Amino acid sequence: MFFPIIVYLSVNSQDELARFGLSDEDIFAGKVSDKWREFMKEQIRRARFYFNLAEEGASHLDKASHLPVWASLMLYRKILGAIEENEYDNLTKRAYVGRLGKLVTLPLAYSRAQSLPSLAF
């Protein structure tokens, strides 16, 4: 089975790639180098920072939104962990959470969602 490479790049991505000594050609060649690994470590660090902010903001949402937000946060964090387990090779390897991982995570997300106070107006 063939999985096409889909790359999402931010508006500032060219600057970020250049800061790590990378180019578009490196990405489309699927070249996982030390430079790429350092670049991905920074992307993961940033994503975790924003996930932590989202946790803080979750209590400001309507109670009905808590479960999908927590489930997303927990599952996307697991995807970041999968990228790390793949040695930051998200160009040629798929980072994902399998069915069992999702089944284990959802009750935890439900529990966390129920324990949050709702600060929504």
Side-chain angles (χ1 to χ4, degrees):
M1 186 180 295
F2 173 75
F3 294 102
I5 294 177
I6 300 172
V7 179
Y8 299 98
L9 298 173
S10 70
V11 174
N12 300 325
S13 61
Q14 296 301 319
D15 293 338
E16 285 192 75
L17 289 172
R19 187 164 51 97
F20 285 89
L22 294 165
S23 67
D24 292 343
E25 291 78 25
D26 294 322
I27 294 170
F28 292 112
K31 182 179 178 185
V32 180
S33 62
D34 289 339
K35 292 175 183 180
W36 178 257
R37 287 182 183 89
E38 291 305 313
F39 174 75
M40 285 308 303
K41 286 177 186 177
E42 175 62 18
Q43 301 309 306
I44 289 171
R45 183 205 60 76
R46 180 184 306 141
R48 287 186 172 135
F49 170 79
Y50 286 118
F51 290 167
N52 290 339
L53 289 178
E55 275 187 27
E56 295 172 21
S59 62
H60 295 280
L61 298 172
D62 182 79
K63 185 89 171 164
S65 299
H66 290 183
L67 176 58
V69 168
W70 272 102
S72 297
L73 284 170
M74 295 173 89
L75 291 170
Y76 280 112
R77 279 192 174 116
K78 287 182 179 281
I79 292 171
L80 295 179
I83 293 170
E84 291 170 327
E85 288 171 14
N86 287 343
E87 297 180 11
Y88 304 96
D89 182 359
N90 58 333
L91 296 176
T92 65
K93 296 180 182 177
R94 185 170 174 239
Y96 65 98
V97 178
R99 285 185 187 154
L100 181 59
K102 290 174 187 173
L103 287 173
V104 170
T105 301
L106 290 178
L108 297 172
Y110 179 80
S111 174
R112 189 69 187 256
Q114 295 304 307
S115 68
L116 279 179
S118 184
L119 303 176
F121 299 100

